[in-house]
Amino acid sequence: MTELHEVVAQREFAYSRRDFDRVRRLLFERAGIRLADSKDAMVYSRLARRLRILKLTRFKDYLAMVAHNHQEQEHFVNALTTNLTSFFREPHHFEALSTYLKQHPNTKRIWCSASSTGEEPYSIAMTVASVFGTFTPPVSIVATDIDSRVLQKAAAGIYSASGIEQLPPHYREQFFYKGKGAQLGKVRVADELRRMVQFETLNLMSPTWDIESPIDIIFCRNVMIYFDRDTQRKILFRMVKLMTPEGMYVAGHSENFTMYPELVRPMGKTIYRPVN
Ligand SMILES: C[S@@+](CC[C@H](N)C(=O)[O-])C[C@H]1O[C@@H](n2cnc3c(N)ncnc32)[C@H](O)[C@@H]1O
């Protein structure tokens, strides 16, 4: 009789359910991000690289280190954030931005609050530059994210050429340099456009935000979905307090705040006006 053996894939590092739960707790405390039960394999693969670099063999030891080491906390959060983004993602928001700027030529400040690798704030900058017809408009754009690694990529402004294929040709020509030689297949954001965006690290969970106000427009897209209801309301409340009464708050496609009429009122598809 043939004996059946269950084949269990041997993992490189010791990783238990308790470790996963600890990761979830630490990530929630540090970044407000709630990880679903189903994410345990993702956690393993994203953090394994850190254990390898640190020459550790057990997640338990790694997590003890994260609890006390500020620098490692940054790597920990960087490894676990989801940074998916693209140029002109949800294009109707940029049409709304263009209309808003034409109707409110006195707009002074735009905050892109979870900017990831930069495609979103540069899309904002392209829209602003197009409306004002200059690379030095009277509008400042601040782009922030918790993840220092994505902000480095954003500041460098180098992307795969395929990422801008869907842009109108005059945008590609006006706002990007084409890579040559070793940089073939890449594009770089034009220096004038890069200078329009100021990148800073900012954790939306921090009790204070180092950000100038009043702010006319806040882009806060596809980040609130990672937070629980209570955290979402707190962040929305704080953002609304920073905004001009005529301002515009832009949310992600699956983020809905109609249940907070005391804070915001809908003024378009996933776009809100602050109540303050
Ligand atoms: C899915 S990306 C969205 C990027 C962009 N807003 C968009 O819609 O294309 C989510 C971003 O939120 C950032 N993030 C997660 N938690 C954060 C926090 N507590 N404070 C600030 N940014 C955070 C992540 O680092 C990531 O870059």
Side-chain angles (χ1 to χ4, degrees):
M1 205 206 243
T2 330
E3 234 180 89
L4 281 176
H5 291 284
E6 199 186 337
V7 180
V8 179
Q10 198 61 50
R11 277 180 155 153
E12 186 181 354
F13 305 106
Y15 176 60
S16 67
R17 176 74 205 190
R18 275 183 78 177
D19 297 328
F20 174 58
D21 287 340
R22 184 123 191 249
V23 168
R24 293 215 283 191
R25 232 180 6 260
L26 283 167
L27 189 64
F28 178 67
E29 283 163 17
R30 185 88 192 110
I33 299 172
R34 287 257 185 232
L35 283 182
D37 268 355
S38 55
K39 300 286 183 193
D40 81 328
M42 179 206 89
V43 163
Y44 179 89
S45 68
R46 297 237 189 131
L47 292 178
R49 206 177 140 254
R50 292 304 306 157
L51 273 82
R52 218 166 282 135
I53 289 169
L54 296 163
K55 303 203 184 325
L56 296 171
T57 56
R58 301 187 307 175
F59 268 68
K60 195 172 167 212
D61 302 329
Y62 176 66
L63 295 171
M65 183 176 185
V66 170
H68 301 108
N69 181 325
H70 187 78
Q71 212 186 339
E72 194 50 43
Q73 283 170 10
E74 192 174 322
H75 288 297
F76 172 82
V77 171
N78 289 355
L80 293 173
T81 50
T82 298
N83 307 113
L84 184 78
T85 187
S86 56
F87 287 103
F88 291 94
R89 182 182 191 185
E90 300 171 58
H92 64 278
H93 285 158
F94 298 92
E95 284 156 28
L97 172 63
S98 175
T99 306
Y100 180 95
L101 292 170
K102 286 172 192 158
Q103 288 169 351
H104 301 83
N106 289 328
T107 300
K108 296 271 176 295
R109 201 167 281 126
I110 303 177
W111 178 23
C112 177
S113 64
S115 67
S116 189
T117 39
E119 289 87 336
E120 183 178 53
Y122 287 132
S123 304
I124 295 171
M126 286 184 252
T127 307
V128 171
S130 300
V131 170
F132 286 90
T134 171
F135 283 114
T136 52
V139 181
S140 70
I141 304 168
V142 178
T144 63
D145 200 283
I146 194 175
D147 185 337
S148 54
R149 187 197 41 172
V150 291
L151 289 173
Q152 273 171 24
K153 180 167 166 45
I158 298 171
Y159 301 95
S160 155
S162 60
I164 63 161
E165 261 165 17
Q166 85 290 6
L167 265 59
H170 67 284
Y171 269 44
R172 295 199 300 251
E173 273 150 37
Q174 201 185 346
F175 298 125
F176 294 89
Y177 307 126
K178 259 195 206 164
K180 293 190 187 115
Q183 296 299 318
L184 202 67
K186 300 227 170 94
V187 291
R188 185 153 67 84
V189 173
D191 293 340
E192 296 88 338
L193 196 76
R194 251 178 335 130
R195 281 196 282 269
M196 286 178 63
V197 185
Q198 187 193 329
F199 290 100
E200 307 278 349
T201 318
L202 186 147
N203 181 355
L204 293 170
M205 294 296 285
S206 297
T208 55
W209 295 336
D210 188 9
I211 192 106
E212 269 186 71
S213 62
I215 301 167
D216 302 276
I217 302 169
I218 295 183
F219 272 68
C220 184
R221 304 191 310 162
N222 306 305
V223 61
M224 290 285 219
I225 33 161
Y226 299 108
F227 304 149
D228 62 18
R229 272 285 200 93
D230 189 41
T231 309
Q232 289 185 359
R233 194 189 179 284
K234 280 187 191 144
I235 291 175
L236 186 65
F237 175 84
R238 291 174 64 193
M239 286 185 166
V240 162
K241 292 284 160 239
L242 297 175
M243 296 181 76
T244 54
E246 284 283 289
M248 178 166 84
Y249 178 97
V250 186
H253 58 277
S254 54
E255 294 158 340
N256 176 10
F257 300 119
T258 47
M259 67 290 226
Y260 304 127
E262 70 288 10
L263 299 182
V264 288
R265 297 277 157 83
M267 58 179 275
K269 193 172 155 199
T270 53
I271 302 180
Y272 298 86
R273 183 177 295 292
V275 177
N276 54 14

